[in-house]
Amino acid sequence: MPSTHINSYYAASANDTNVRPTLQGHVKTDVCIIGAGFTGMSTALHLAEQGYKVVVLEGSRIGFGASGRNGGQIVNSYSRDIDFIENHYGKEVGAQMGQMAFEGGRILRRFVDQYNIQCDLKEGGIFAACNSRQFDDLVDRKKLWEAHGHTQLELLDGNQIRQHVGTERYAGGLIDHSGGHFHPLNLVLGEAAAVESLGGVIYENSPALRVREGDKPAVHTEEGCVEADYVLIAGNAYLNGLLPKLESKAMPCGTQIIATEPLSEGIQKRLLPKDNCVEDCNYLLDYFRLSGDGRLIYGGGVTYGAREPEKVESLIVPNMLKTFPELKGTQVDYAWTGNFLLTLMRLPQFGRIGGNVYYAQGYSGHGITCTHLAGKVISDAIRGQAERFDIFASLPQHKFPGGRALRIPLTAMGAWYYNLRDQLGI
């Protein structure tokens, strides 16, 4: 029986509900991609634009995982910022990563414009400081990003941020005018349609069961096989045991999101007068924005090990009301959860298995822009221009301490510590 998307606001408002066929039989192609999320679609689209024959295998539906469930915010750089990379891996690597840190959002916008993707794209993203220490960190971030060529930034003091966010909760903020927000499932579906318009083929409900390595790699599913010159593994948190040596390097984590009933125009203008998206600066952060039809989409929290909480609303609504008390009594129409993949260093993991099987995973909750960058970097590497891919691949990929039994509680303890620091403002 074909699988379906989870019951989210995004699935309920998807522009494309067509189900692609299941792979049956033997297929030959230039590149086989496992996973029809942003990494897979960006790579497929970049390659198809260059004339490559591309086949995408999706175990469920296009955008079934994090790409079709996330907060829908364009946030630049990486989960660990450029200064962390410089301090740990050297100035040269930091400079090279810095050159790429703001490219993903431009790629995303090119796709939307070039292929006329209807995904409610809106401009402007705000980092909101909950205290003076966090505001000082935003001052430093502005200097850091500007040193790497990103100048579309504006600091907001405590009075100015209230012109953008109708709450007393924040001490200030930083607006990134190149940030923004959108309907993520409709974006990835639009990218899939663009791939198909260029001759690419996407199979849904076709989970990869085995990857045969070698000079001519092949991906086997229950009812078929794709033989290719190159394979990309882009299943991220949804590999389901396909390659245990990859999965030991990262841990699936869940985040929770709600969508309210549509709000009146007056309430929308009070909550988010400029219609920007917002994320705060806490370790376990809150993030929110208005949808195209005027709902407040509010997310946050992390469950380690991808456990699904029984009642998403009970985790998110109290935070929403702390930010916007006037929403007390507002109906929640949708509540859902989804998994992202966390790495120990909170940096993405790119690499090769042999010379022709590539992988990219572990964006650590910061994936929307980096996945689109990944598609460009990986497609360039397949075309023989691997310099930028090799920069990512050079970053160490550590296993979580404690093995399978202890990695979840140890990580949760670390998160508790940083959350406590946020609560105390230290």
Side-chain angles (χ1 to χ4, degrees), residues 51-113:
Y52 282 75
K53 292 192 295 183
V54 181
V55 169
V56 181
L57 297 176
E58 168 54 48
S60 183
R61 302 292 305 282
I62 295 166
F64 175 82
S67 297
R69 307 189 195 189
N70 62 75
Q73 299 197 15
I74 300 171
V75 181
N76 283 303
S77 193
Y78 315 100
S79 185
R80 290 286 197 184
D81 217 338
I82 304 164
D83 54 348
F84 177 92
I85 298 170
E86 290 176 338
N87 291 336
H88 284 75
Y89 309 118
K91 288 285 187 181
E92 182 178 350
V93 172
Q96 292 167 329
M97 294 287 287
Q99 289 176 358
M100 295 185 279
F102 310 100
E103 187 176 342
R106 295 194 294 270
I107 292 169
L108 185 158
R109 283 185 169 85
R110 177 176 78 80
F111 288 166
V112 171
D113 291 343

Side-chain angles (χ1 to χ4, degrees), residues 76-151:
N76 283 303
S77 193
Y78 315 100
S79 185
R80 290 286 197 184
D81 217 338
I82 304 164
D83 54 348
F84 177 92
I85 298 170
E86 290 176 338
N87 291 336
H88 284 75
Y89 309 118
K91 288 285 187 181
E92 182 178 350
V93 172
Q96 292 167 329
M97 294 287 287
Q99 289 176 358
M100 295 185 279
F102 310 100
E103 187 176 342
R106 295 194 294 270
I107 292 169
L108 185 158
R109 283 185 169 85
R110 177 176 78 80
F111 288 166
V112 171
D113 291 343
Q114 185 168 336
Y115 297 102
N116 192 28
I117 298 174
Q118 303 302 307
C119 61
D120 301 325
L121 180 60
K122 303 177 185 181
E123 302 302 320
I126 294 173
F127 302 99
C130 298
N131 52 53
S132 59
R133 176 186 62 80
Q134 292 182 356
F135 184 75
D136 290 342
D137 290 342
L138 290 178
V139 173
D140 292 340
R141 183 183 303 183
K142 182 174 184 286
K143 293 176 182 175
L144 174 70
W145 285 10
E146 288 176 341
H148 288 272
H150 188 59
T151 58

Side-chain angles (χ1 to χ4, degrees), residues 10-11 69 88 95 104 111 120 144 164 190 210 230 236 264 292 294 301 336 366 402 404:
Y10 299 138
R69 307 189 195 189
H88 284 75
F111 288 166
D120 301 325
L144 174 70
H164 295 265
R210 180 169 62 89
Y230 300 94
N236 209 42
S264 70
W336 68 96
H366 216 91
R404 294 183 63 85

Side-chain angles (χ1 to χ4, degrees), residues 79 103 172 210 256 272 282 297 304 326 356 375 379 399 420:
S79 185
E103 187 176 342
R210 180 169 62 89
Q256 295 78 46
L272 291 163
N282 287 333
I297 295 178
Y304 294 97
E326 74 172 278
N356 48 16
S379 66
K399 293 182 179 181
L420 180 62

